[in-house]
Amino acid sequence: MPPCPIKGNIFAVGAVDWDRRLFDALIPLPDGTSYNAYLIKGSQKTALLDTVDPTKADVLFENLKGVERIDYVIAHHAEQDHSGCLPAVLSRAPMAQVVCSTKAKGMLIDHLHLDASKITAVEDGATLSLGDVTLEFAHTPWVHWPETMSTFAREPKILFSCDFFGSHLAQSDLFVKDEEHVYEAAKRYFAEIMMPFRSSIKRNLERIKDFPVEMIAPSHGPIHSRPAFILDAYRDWVGDRPKNSAVIPYVTMHGSTELLVERLVAALAERGVTAWPFNIAEGDIGKLAIALVDAATIVIGSPTVHVGLHPKIAYAAFLANALRPRAKFAAVIGSYGWATKMAEQVLSLTPHLKLEVLPGVVVKGMPRSEDFAAVERLADLIAAKHGDLNLR
Ligand code: FEO
């Protein structure tokens, strides 16, 4: 396949991975992904921006067939899905110099055993001329690792952002066509990859805001020819105010916890609070992550296993703690047979979440009418707390 032009002498040379279903042995990829790499043929020099996952090296090299010379390889991020083919690229283009952030240099040496003499580290704001195209490097740490950077190509006004603004979305179109579809994938990506670093993402949005960007070309998913779409979404997601919604990850063994969850969902809906129940035993953990982007309240529902927490809920709590969502309130609901320390265990697993803990509802056996009344009171309290913050 010949390289696909995206603007002037700039080409997409990466690979679509339609079949990948798991990333980092953790993140579900229901829509596959892509590893986007770009080639800029300047009037004097040629630069390759990122490579691809090593599993797709053949696609990259097929796309680069006929390219006579690569002078620079811009490595925005040391993670292997973008830099994993650097050794192979350098063996085919021995004159090429790898250009990366100061922090990335050591990481590329550690992860890929690159020769230090092949790597040029650039400071934030440094520029590199390819002739008729000038690259300006912007350090954008923590999108997703600490060494990440972005490149603004000044004359074509394209921001090459690597993981920043990406989405795990395999599609045949190079550009975003259906914004609603891409929004869901980009939000999932933000939730799973970016949300723990919201403060850094905010700073990075400030860092790039003066670039007159006409196109954002990330390293996963489609290219944004309308940057405002994804920039506005990110500004919303990194804000401090959650939405008037509650997410309820739960597991049920014999139905008691599920009865409480069902009553809570209905009671919250009656009070105008959007509720998102997720049965962790069967659900897609990515959907839970998406709901965590917006939720003001997290209600964890668990039965008791050997006096403690159900292990699948322990996993969900651990994940929520790692993702550091902007939720403000938490509660625990669930059940037990003879004794339980489940609620205390849940809260001990979420030290990163600065949550006000509301009185929960933990019942012995099957819930009775008074237990459902307690659930209604919990819904009252959640609605009141959200109202106090004027959440929408
Ligand atoms: Fe797509 Fe953090 O690598």
Side-chain angles (χ1 to χ4, degrees):
M1 184 177 89
C4 301
I6 64 169
K7 189 171 188 179
N9 277 338
I10 303 176
F11 302 87
V13 293
V16 177
D17 195 338
W18 298 93
D19 300 321
R20 188 159 180 180
R21 289 290 170 264
L22 201 59
F23 204 88
D24 289 348
L26 173 67
I27 299 169
L29 303 181
D31 302 310
T33 191
S34 65
Y35 317 109
N36 304 341
Y38 303 95
L39 189 76
I40 303 179
K41 289 183 176 175
S43 58
Q44 293 173 10
K45 301 284 185 183
T46 294
L48 173 66
L49 281 68
D50 293 315
T51 71
V52 299
D53 189 90
T55 56
K56 294 291 178 186
D58 56 336
V59 179
L60 174 70
F61 291 120
E62 180 66 25
N63 288 341
L64 291 176
K65 232 184 221 174
V67 175
E68 289 171 6
R69 181 184 170 95
I70 294 173
D71 298 288
Y72 304 107
V73 186
I74 314 301
H76 291 117
H77 181 17
E79 194 169 14
Q80 290 83 345
D81 53 328
H82 309 295
S83 291
C85 286
L86 278 176
V89 168
L90 291 177
S91 73
R92 287 167 170 79
M95 301 306 290
Q97 192 70 11
V98 175
V99 177
C100 64
S101 73
T102 32
K103 190 162 269 182
K105 182 169 182 175
M107 292 175 73
L108 288 171
I109 293 168
D110 288 339
H111 289 291
L112 299 165
H113 297 177
L114 294 190
D115 179 345
S117 69
K118 302 298 296 177
I119 306 174
T120 300
V122 290
E123 299 293 335
D124 184 37
T127 60
L128 177 67
S129 175
L130 305 179
D132 55 350
V133 177
T134 311
L135 305 182
E136 180 175 343
F137 304 111
H139 287 194
T140 46
W142 297 108
V143 295
H144 148 222
W145 285 3
E147 87 298 4
T148 44
M149 73 171 191
S150 303
T151 297
F152 181 61
R154 283 179 180 167
E155 293 78 5
K157 297 183 168 62
I158 302 175
L159 181 70
F160 296 92
S161 56
C162 202
D163 280 351
F164 204 11
F165 307 120
S167 52
H168 283 310
L169 185 58
Q171 64 171 51
S172 57
D173 296 317
L174 271 181
F175 292 89
V176 173
K177 276 193 176 168
D178 179 346
E179 288 189 348
E180 204 173 317
H181 183 53
V182 175
Y183 182 91
E184 173 84 5
K187 190 171 186 179
R188 173 187 282 262
Y189 189 87
F190 171 86
E192 293 167 336
I193 309 288
M194 305 283 162
M195 189 156 63
F197 313 115
R198 275 190 305 120
S199 305
S200 297
I201 307 287
K202 264 189 218 177
R203 282 194 290 276
N204 291 330
L205 287 171
E206 277 295 303
R207 173 67 185 86
I208 63 163
K209 80 174 179 359
D210 292 329
F211 291 142
V213 175
E214 291 184 355
M215 190 183 289
I216 294 179
S219 291
H220 295 291
I223 297 168
H224 301 281
S225 54
R226 196 175 77 81
F229 155 67
I230 195 68
L231 289 168
D232 288 347
Y234 263 67
R235 286 187 197 111
D236 177 29
W237 298 334
V238 300
D240 291 328
R241 286 175 65 76
K243 303 282 178 5
N244 182 22
S245 68
V247 59
I248 311 170
Y250 76 97
V251 168
T252 196
M253 288 163 62
H254 301 292
S256 294
T257 300
E258 188 163 46
L259 287 171
L260 297 172
V261 170
E262 287 172 354
R263 177 59 70 97
L264 182 60
V265 170
L268 288 170
E270 284 168 11
R271 291 156 178 80
V273 178
T274 302
W276 298 103
F278 286 96
N279 186 335
I280 295 299
E282 298 164 9
D284 170 359
I285 205 82
K287 289 273 189 193
L288 170 62
I290 292 172
L292 283 169
V293 173
D294 290 333
T297 296
I298 304 171
V299 180
I300 291 191
S302 179
T304 297
V305 179
H306 306 313
V307 192
L309 191 60
H310 192 288
K312 284 184 183 276
I313 282 294
Y315 171 64
F318 188 85
L319 188 70
N321 186 59
L323 294 179
R324 301 186 187 211
R326 55 185 167 177
K328 308 287 185 197
F329 311 104
V332 179
I333 61 175
S335 60
Y336 64 99
W338 53 94
T340 185
K341 293 191 172 172
M342 176 267 287
E344 300 92 302
Q345 283 186 349
V346 174
L347 298 172
S348 73
L349 288 173
T350 54
H352 289 158
L353 306 185
K354 306 294 180 227
L355 300 169
E356 179 183 343
V357 179
L358 309 178
V361 183
V362 180
V363 308
K364 188 173 186 183
M366 188 81 84
R368 298 173 170 82
S369 58
E370 59 268 31
D371 302 316
F372 290 123
V375 170
E376 297 279 341
R377 289 195 295 279
L378 175 59
D380 280 336
L381 188 54
I382 291 171
K385 292 285 183 185
H386 290 196
D388 289 346
L389 295 178
N390 200 21
L391 301 180
R392 297 175 194 190

